[in-house]
Amino acid sequence: MTKLGPGLLENDAGSIVFGWLGRVALTLTVLGLAAFELLSIVVAHVAVDDIGRTAADRALTTYADTHDPYQAFLSADAYASENGATLLKKSFVITNDSVSFKLEKTAPTLLLYRLDVTADLAEVKTNVYEEPIVQGGAMP
């Protein structure tokens, strides 16, 4: 080994720096992946609530126009399906005063929904209950 200067050797490739840099990069990668997975689930929760409210509004509007519960279900189910959610048919109940149903959606995560052990964590479920708004914006 020859000296290149104060404290530097010819075969010193900086392995300490590269080892440290590798650990930092790996740590940031794992933290970034975990943050993405968590954020994906949070966004899916917000999205499924929004989808549920709009689907309920469509069901109430269709029911007010046709007084046919099946048509109201089809209207809500079509909107939910277009937006990647599943409306559970057996949970759908509609009257002149309200509509309620259960809605499910799978969060678009990178890993969670693909693994059998964690697939349930990526499933987002919500119960939707809406009442119609009377003309002029007043509640019944």
Side-chain angles (χ1 to χ4, degrees), residues 16-99:
I16 293 174
V17 174
F18 285 121
W20 174 81
L21 189 59
R23 285 192 298 270
V24 169
L26 181 63
T27 301
L28 289 177
T29 301
V30 170
L31 288 176
L33 178 64
F36 179 82
E37 299 288 280
L38 181 64
L39 188 61
S40 180
I41 291 171
V42 169
V43 168
H45 272 284
V46 172
V48 80
D49 285 340
D50 185 49
I51 293 166
R53 290 189 188 280
T54 305
D57 182 53
R58 290 193 179 192
L60 286 169
T61 302
T62 302
Y63 188 73
D65 293 342
T66 65
H67 294 291
D68 183 1
Y70 185 67
Q71 290 300 320
F73 167 77
L74 289 178
S75 177
D77 187 48
Y79 182 79
S81 296
E82 287 171 9
N83 290 283
T86 304
L87 194 152
L88 302 177
K89 186 175 185 176
K90 291 184 179 183
S91 68
F92 189 83
V93 177
I94 192 165
T95 65
N96 286 331
D97 299 327
S98 66
V99 63

Side-chain angles (χ1 to χ4, degrees), residues 106-107 109 111-124:
T106 302
T109 62
L111 296 175
L112 289 179
Y113 81 94
R114 293 185 175 136
L115 305 173
D116 292 337
V117 177
T118 59
D120 288 341
L121 296 174
E123 287 295 320
V124 178

